[in-house]
Amino acid sequence: MAFYPLQIAGLVLGFLGLVGTLATTLLPQWRVSAFIGSNIIVFERIWEGLWMNCVRQGKVRLQCKFYGSLLALPPILEASRALMCVAVALSLIALILGICGMRQIQCTGSNEKAKVYLLGASGALFILTGILVLIPVCWTANIIIRDFYNPAVPVSQKRELGAALFLGWASAAVLFIGGCLLCGFFCCNRKKQRRGCPTPAHCVPHTDRQRNTTREPHTDRQRNTPREPHTGKQRNEMANNKTTSYV
């Protein structure tokens, strides 16, 4: 299987994207408190994530609390949770498919065509995962920026972009690159198979020489088959024929 380094690079980037997606989902630093105007209390920072809120006092104490009610959450938070969970599941499935399509793995036996299709499906799922990661990350960032510049929002409720959002953007980029490498690997192998595919035998016209050589030769049994002996009647007819010819 050609282009083997391309396959390894795509799977490594896909694995890094999976780790980054999982970390983005679990980290609470999606929205962090902003220190603007008269809000000069820098000893307390508020982190808001998909699953919990955290309050850090100074550099020592950190208190986190999970959200109590699922139905009381804002719609954007519920949608972001669902999209990130689906993204983690899809990236895991894509990684498993990519590993099964590796040359050393014997999940599909010696069927190289099936392995190429598995790698192509893995690349497509990685790209889809990157899209699913970008949706909640960009959506949350847009709301944070909109509220930050909205004068109607109180200063104490303004938030800034957290580290989890930047990690989500980086993970989406890595997933896109890994998926594109695997899809490129799939396309290159498909082109190679089409170019190296021999022409079917029934499509090749036969020349006169090939037609003459395709005739079946006589077998040894046909050559060694003895002739049937002449009967008495046949012998008398042959003798009469000879005598008439002499006359």
Side-chain angles (χ1 to χ4, degrees):
M1 189 179 289
F3 309 102
Y4 185 66
L6 198 66
Q7 172 188 358
I8 295 297
L11 289 178
V12 170
L13 291 177
F15 174 74
L16 294 178
L18 169 62
V19 175
T21 302
L22 184 61
T24 304
T25 305
L26 298 178
L27 286 177
Q29 291 97 338
W30 282 61
R31 298 157 54 97
V32 297
S33 55
F35 304 107
I36 56 176
S38 59
N39 187 11
I40 58 174
I41 304 177
V42 297
F43 292 101
E44 183 176 284
R45 295 184 65 90
I46 300 175
W47 298 341
E48 298 178 3
L50 298 179
W51 309 96
M52 66 184 76
N53 284 336
C54 295
V55 178
R56 184 175 182 180
Q57 297 177 352
K59 296 183 178 180
V60 180
R61 190 175 181 181
L62 180 64
Q63 294 179 347
C64 295
K65 180 182 179 181
F66 288 93
Y67 297 117
S69 176
L70 179 63
L71 299 177
L73 296 176
I76 180 177
L77 195 57
E78 295 179 355
S80 299
R81 276 186 175 186
L83 289 174
M84 292 303 295
C85 290
V86 172
V88 172
L90 283 181
S91 60
L92 183 59
I93 294 173
L95 183 63
I96 294 174
L97 290 178
I99 293 174
C100 292
M102 292 182 66
R103 184 171 56 183
Q104 291 83 359
I105 306 299
Q106 301 298 328
C107 293
T108 59
S110 59
N111 192 351
E112 298 292 337
K113 187 176 181 179
K115 292 183 178 182
V116 171
Y117 276 104
L118 285 177
L119 289 172
S122 175
L125 287 179
F126 277 133
I127 294 176
L128 180 60
T129 303
I131 296 175
L132 292 179
V133 172
L134 279 180
I135 292 174
V137 170
C138 294
W139 192 5
T140 304
N142 179 47
I143 293 177
I144 292 174
I145 296 173
R146 183 193 62 189
D147 293 342
F148 187 86
Y149 291 105
N150 188 2
V153 177
V155 176
S156 59
Q157 295 183 4
K158 292 181 182 293
R159 297 290 183 264
E160 292 182 352
L161 303 177
L165 298 180
F166 295 99
L167 181 59
W169 282 318
S171 301
V174 171
L175 288 169
F176 275 125
I177 296 174
C180 290
L181 289 178
L182 292 177
C183 289
F185 175 84
F186 170 76
C187 294
C188 291
N189 276 273
R190 289 292 296 168
K191 290 182 180 179
K192 183 179 178 181
Q193 290 177 0
R194 290 176 181 176
R195 291 177 181 177
C197 182
T199 307
H202 64 274
C203 297
V204 180
H206 295 282
T207 61
D208 295 337
R209 187 175 180 181
Q210 289 177 343
R211 291 172 182 171
N212 295 329
T213 56
T214 55
R215 294 179 180 178
E216 296 182 358
H218 296 288
T219 60
D220 296 336
R221 184 177 180 181
Q222 293 175 346
R223 293 175 182 173
N224 298 330
T225 302
R227 296 180 180 178
E228 296 181 357
H230 298 287
T231 61
K233 186 177 181 179
Q234 291 176 347
R235 291 176 183 175
N236 294 332
E237 291 178 356
M238 292 175 64
N240 294 330
N241 293 331
K242 287 182 180 179
T243 54
T244 55
S245 62
Y246 289 144
V247 174

